[in-house]
Structures are given as structure tokens and as C-alpha cells.
Amino acid sequence: MKRLALLLGSLLVVSSVASAKEVMPAPTPEPEKVIEYVEKPVIVYRDREVTPAWKPNGSVSLKYNWYGEVENKKPKEDKDGDWATSPTNAGRLEAVTNINFTEKQTLYVRTRNYHTLRDDEKQNQNSKIGSDSLRVRHFYNFGTLGDTKVKAKSRLSYDQSGGDLGAKNAEASVAFDFANYFPSNDYFKVTKFALRPRYVYRWKGHGDNATTRNRYELDLETSYKLPLGFSATVTVYSSYDRYRRPFRVGNDGETKKGEFRGALDATLEYSASLYKNDKFELTFDAEGGYDSYSFNQYKRYSNGDTVVLPGSTKKVPKLTNRRAYSVYLLPTLNVSYKATDNVKLFAGAGAEYRNWAVESESVAKNWRWQPTAWAGMKVSF
């Protein structure tokens, strides 16, 4: 009996344990750990191109020109006054200073001084050279105007020739360039197409005289790049001159105080490089065209003919055409040598073919050659 009771008790304990295992919940596994990888930015330092701060810059150039006789004839030997003109047998020293003193402002100063090269006649009459001159100009570049493609640049100018008692003029103008509105390609490009309204005040000496006048002008300035080394420049001038004193306009003694004027400059330029290396260059250059074709509202004076005005016995120059022109051709050979990065030497020689003295449209004549040569240097800073 004891054995039976012990056996039954063991079976009861085993069955209880089995039942307990069936009702116990399964253990919950722990969640897997999530590993996050954070990429830190890597800074790489490289050599950076830094634009240097702007500083004033510019150039100074000196140029000496020589002018020979017009086909072996001096002005004094030209009895009819229809062949030669000044300057001949003369030299000219030109100095040009160009300074960009701010990013938008430029100062330009040019002086020209003439002198005779021969003194074999009294009072240097063999040359009849032109007058010394001074030019001072200030430019201000306004850049592109607003949302347009128009560029604007102003110019203030003072010119003087013949010393303190000579001719002078003061000018103010603004050029509006529309060149970017024109399509361009490898064969044709409009490099400038500018309208320039301007005002000029002209006088001579120190006081009010017959030369004192106000000029109101509107110019069209254009330039073009053409194929095969050619380029062209065309400028149209239109103005109204208002004089302080009346001037004679007819052979009957009629006078006026105002006059409309116009002029056309049209030139074709060509340049070809004959030889070039790092420092030396030889080029052939040529230019020619109208310089200029001018027209006035009233007739101009002739070069030699005279007329006696009504009520007078004095002879005065006879008035002829209202139009005149000068057509020229100037072929030259030019050499340049780059001595340093900032110094350039140059020289050239050629001859100019032009109607030097007689320009009235109906009688223009006597196209003649005048040899010329020059040398100089330009220093940039």
C-alpha cells in the first residue's frame, strides 16, 4: 500500500509540473539594438583664387612724329595755295597720360608741341606748322543702365590750341551705346553704336569776339569688326552753332547768327601681322576714307577767289559750296617691342595720300603723298 501511495503521489507531482509548463507564457525576447551611423562633414582646405583689391592704374606714352614735304613742295613754294599744307618739314612731340583713378573714372591728358626741322628761310616760313595743343578729358563709366543692354559713359573735355590767346572749347557729353542689341558672329560684329548728345562752348582769347559760339550737337558713333583683318568706323555729326556776333553768309553782305552743320567720318581699317614672337611684332596697317565730308547751311569761303561786296571797294574771299570733303589713304609699317611687362617700344613709317589744300566739293583736287614716320614708348602702371 505504501508503495502504491508513493507511486500515485509521484504521478500527481509530475502531472502538476506538466500542467504548469503549458500555462506559463513564453519569455519575451529583448529588442535588437539599432546602431546609427552619423557622417561628420569633412572640411578640405584648398588654394583659393582671391581677386586682388582694385588699385589705380594707367599709362604714360611719348611719341615723336616727323612730317615731310608734300611731294617735294613746301607751303611757301605753293604760290596758288592748292597743293601743300602744314605741317611739313616739321616734328611733333606728343605726350599722353591716361589714369584710371577709380573703377569708373578716367583722366586723359594729351599735349602736342610742334617745331620746324629746317631754318633755311626767315621766320621759319618753310614749314607753317600747326599750333601747339592741349586736351584734358574726364570720363565716367555708368555701366549698363538698369535692366537694359545700354551702356552709358560721360565725357567732360577742354581743348586749347595756339597758346593762351588761341582757340578754346569746353564740352560736356554722354554716350549711350546700344551695341549689345545687335547680333554678332565670327564675320561681323557691331563693337559700338552710340548716340552722343553734347554741348560745346567755343571761344578765342579772353573776350567775346566773332568766334565765340554755343554748339548743340547730336552724334552717332559706330564701329564694326569685319573679317580678314578689316574693321570700319562711321561717325555722323549734326549740330547747330549759335554765334555771339553775326557772321557774313553771302556775297551780298547778308549776315546770320546761327547755322546748322553736319559732317561724316567714314574710314576702313586693315591690319595684318607679318611677324610675331613673345616680345617683337611687325605689322602692316592701312586706313582710308572720308576725313571728313562736311556740309554747312550756308556757303563757305573759297581758298583764293575774291569778290567786292556791294557798297565797298575792298576785296573779300568769295563764297563757294556749302559742302567739302577730304579723302585719304595711309598705309604704314609698324614695329613694337615689349621690353618688360610694363614698357613697350614702337615705331612706324608710311605716307599719307590726301587732297591737302582744296576741299570744296565742286573743285576738290591735287591728291598728293606726304611721307611720315614716328617712334615712341608706352609705360603702363
Side-chain angles (χ1 to χ4, degrees):
M1 290 299 288
K2 290 181 180 181
R3 290 180 179 178
L4 180 60
L6 181 60
L7 179 60
L8 292 174
S10 300
L11 292 174
L12 181 61
V13 172
V14 171
S15 61
S16 299
V17 173
S19 299
K21 287 184 178 181
E22 290 179 1
V23 299
M24 287 180 65
T28 303
E30 295 182 1
E32 296 181 0
K33 293 182 179 180
V34 178
I35 301 175
E36 296 182 358
Y37 295 92
V38 179
E39 295 184 0
K40 295 183 178 181
V42 179
I43 301 175
V44 179
Y45 294 94
R46 299 177 180 175
D47 293 335
R48 292 177 295 176
E49 294 184 2
V50 179
T51 303
W54 189 93
K55 63 179 181 179
N57 60 84
S59 63
V60 176
S61 65
L62 289 174
K63 181 181 179 183
Y64 183 83
N65 284 72
W66 166 76
Y67 300 96
E69 295 181 357
V70 180
E71 290 196 15
N72 299 319
K73 184 176 286 191
K74 296 174 288 189
K76 190 174 182 180
E77 298 171 344
D78 185 9
K79 303 300 182 181
D80 297 328
D82 61 356
W83 185 300
T85 187
S86 61
T88 61
N89 290 322
R92 186 188 76 189
L93 180 63
E94 178 182 273
V96 176
T97 302
N98 202 73
I99 303 175
N100 302 308
F101 56 92
T102 72
E103 293 185 81
K104 294 186 176 182
Q105 298 186 75
T106 300
L107 181 65
Y108 173 91
V109 181
R110 186 192 73 186
T111 60
R112 287 177 171 176
N113 299 98
Y114 294 83
H115 61 276
T116 57
L117 296 175
R118 292 172 56 186
D119 194 17
D120 54 357
E121 299 179 31
K122 294 181 180 180
Q123 299 178 355
N124 292 328
Q125 291 296 315
N126 60 310
S127 188
K128 291 185 179 179
I129 59 173
S131 301
D132 296 347
S133 65
L134 167 68
R135 169 171 290 176
V136 181
R137 285 181 170 178
H138 172 273
F139 298 91
Y140 187 89
N141 187 1
F142 294 94
T144 304
L145 300 180
D147 296 330
T148 70
K149 297 181 181 180
V150 181
K151 295 181 179 180
K153 191 173 186 179
S154 67
R155 184 178 74 195
L156 300 175
S157 180
Y158 173 79
D159 288 82
Q160 175 179 302
S161 61
D164 187 49
L165 298 178
K168 308 175 182 69
N169 71 70
E171 170 197 324
S173 66
V174 180
F176 299 93
D177 194 349
F178 298 83
N180 289 334
Y181 281 100
F182 294 88
S184 61
N185 51 48
D186 294 337
Y187 301 97
F188 179 82
K189 181 179 181 180
V190 179
T191 54
K192 185 178 184 180
F193 197 93
L195 284 173
R196 181 187 294 277
R198 63 172 174 157
Y199 166 75
V200 183
Y201 179 72
R202 296 190 173 188
W203 74 102
K204 188 175 182 179
H206 297 286
D208 183 13
N209 52 58
T211 65
T212 303
R213 63 187 184 270
N214 296 280
R215 169 170 288 185
Y216 309 94
E217 188 162 343
L218 179 63
D219 303 335
L220 175 62
E221 303 172 352
T222 67
S223 58
Y224 311 90
K225 184 179 180 181
L226 306 174
L228 303 176
F230 286 92
S231 60
T233 303
V234 179
T235 304
V236 180
Y237 305 91
S238 59
S239 64
Y240 176 76
D241 284 6
R242 187 69 181 178
Y243 288 78
R244 290 284 184 89
R245 299 182 184 180
F247 57 94
R248 187 171 65 86
V249 298
N251 292 325
D252 58 356
E254 182 182 4
T255 61
K256 298 288 184 180
K257 291 191 71 175
E259 179 183 26
F260 288 99
R261 293 173 177 266
L264 169 68
D265 290 348
T267 59
L268 183 67
E269 299 92 21
Y270 174 76
S271 181
S273 179
L274 304 180
Y275 176 78
K276 184 178 181 180
N277 59 26
D278 292 339
K279 294 186 176 182
F280 179 85
E281 184 175 12
L282 172 65
T283 63
F284 170 77
D285 300 277
E287 63 177 72
Y290 282 100
D291 181 34
S292 60
Y293 184 95
S294 61
F295 37 93
N296 302 342
Q297 184 178 1
Y298 303 109
K299 287 185 177 181
R300 301 182 64 182
Y301 291 97
S302 68
N303 288 313
D305 296 338
T306 60
V307 64
V308 178
L309 296 180
S312 173
T313 58
K314 183 179 180 180
K315 291 184 178 181
V316 297
K318 182 180 179 180
L319 296 177
T320 56
N321 290 315
R322 298 197 302 265
R323 295 174 294 275
Y325 67 89
S326 182
V327 175
Y328 80 104
L329 173 65
L330 176 61
T332 61
L333 281 175
N334 295 273
V335 295
S336 63
Y337 177 74
K338 190 176 182 181
T340 69
D341 290 340
N342 298 323
V343 178
K344 182 179 181 180
L345 308 178
F346 58 87
E352 185 171 1
Y353 186 67
R354 184 190 289 263
N355 54 322
W356 298 99
V358 183
E359 298 180 353
S360 293
E361 184 181 51
S362 60
V363 294
K365 61 180 180 179
N366 291 346
W367 276 263
R368 296 291 183 265
W369 289 99
Q370 181 185 35
T372 183
W374 58 88
M377 65 181 297
K378 181 177 181 181
V379 180
S380 302
F381 56 87

